[in-house]
Amino acid sequence: MSGSTEGQGVVVVTGAASGLGARVAERASAEGWTVAAIDVQKEALAALDDATVASRHEVDVRDAPALRRVFAVLREQHGRIHGLVNSAGLTRPGPSATLSEADWRLVVDVDLSGTFFACQAAFDHLDEGASIVNIASIAAARGLPERAAYSAAKSGVAGLTNALAAEWGPLGHRVNAVGPAWTNTPLIQAMVRDGVLDEKSMTDAIPLGRLCTEDDVADAVLFLLSDRAAFVNGQTLYVDGGYTTSG
Ligand SMILES: NC(=O)c1ccc[n+]([C@@H]2O[C@H](COP(=O)([O-])OP(=O)(O)OC[C@H]3O[C@@H](n4cnc5c(N)ncnc54)[C@H](O)[C@@H]3O)[C@@H](O)[C@H]2O)c1
């Protein structure tokens, strides 16, 4: 690996200010990665621990030109990038027949287009043998009612992962995805609060009988970032206690 600053190299994490992205940032830093955090939430970004995060970049992943500017700055600050984790995302559940056009576009723009724009912006700055990990979802593999936009976006993330793996693999870069089951983050907490989800039905649907944890997801992401996954490319790894292959 050339050009990286220290340890395992530089990993950029989008959606790093909360939930899965924040835990991945923490765990990557503990494993010796230099972590650059991207998020749209300015205050939450500022609140991240200096011991975890080497640089913070406030940007909306829907804004492709802004992402390109941020990755150019990142390159100046840290050198070439060895890892990119695309965790920025959101959901707007609701009956498909009445889902607003604005909600459909928001979810697809952030979860799918934002993931693609970040991969694109990173491309020129990737180190040899770089690893990209996109956060998909069980919604890419199983039909979830009232999640049309989210399921379409996350299935798109899995397809995008396949396409980039095929296109960038010959250049030495790997592109994979992780598909978590329900994990207790602010995203899920909001849906439980709104009565869209309840803990018992989520837990009952999972063969291993518990929800996913942020560390379950971080373990899979760190594996895919690492050289231990040197021959893993174009995969969506479901971290779901068996949910997507049961029932
Ligand atoms: N929590 C779960 O059960 C679960 C399950 C499967 C997949 N996921 C996916 O994992 C990822 C992280 O979700 P989470 O549960 O940690 O949610 P979260 O709400 O805790 O974190 C999402 C982060 O993304 C950021 N973000 C949202 N829109 C953005 C934008 N336009 N530009 C930049 N940053 C933006 C938010 O500010 C937030 O910090 C998402 O892609 C989500 O779809 C979550």
Side-chain angles (χ1 to χ4, degrees), residues 1 26 53 55 102 144 172 182:
M1 192 189 319
E26 224 173 82
V53 170
S55 66
L144 299 178
W182 303 281

Side-chain angles (χ1 to χ4, degrees), residues 15 17-21 39-41 59-62 87-90 110-111 135-137 150 154 180-183 185-188:
S18 177
L20 300 180
D39 207 286
V40 74
Q41 292 190 66
V59 61
D60 188 321
V61 295
R62 290 173 294 177
S87 190
L90 45 70
V110 173
D111 293 11
I135 305 298
S137 164
Y150 188 70
K154 292 299 187 178
W182 303 281
T183 318
T185 67
L187 181 142
I188 289 294

Side-chain angles (χ1 to χ4, degrees), residues 159-171:
L160 167 67
T161 298
N162 296 344
L164 293 182
E167 187 176 334
W168 293 353
L171 306 175

Side-chain angles (χ1 to χ4, degrees), residues 22-33:
R23 182 58 58 91
V24 165
E26 224 173 82
R27 292 275 311 277
S29 166
E31 290 200 5
W33 289 87

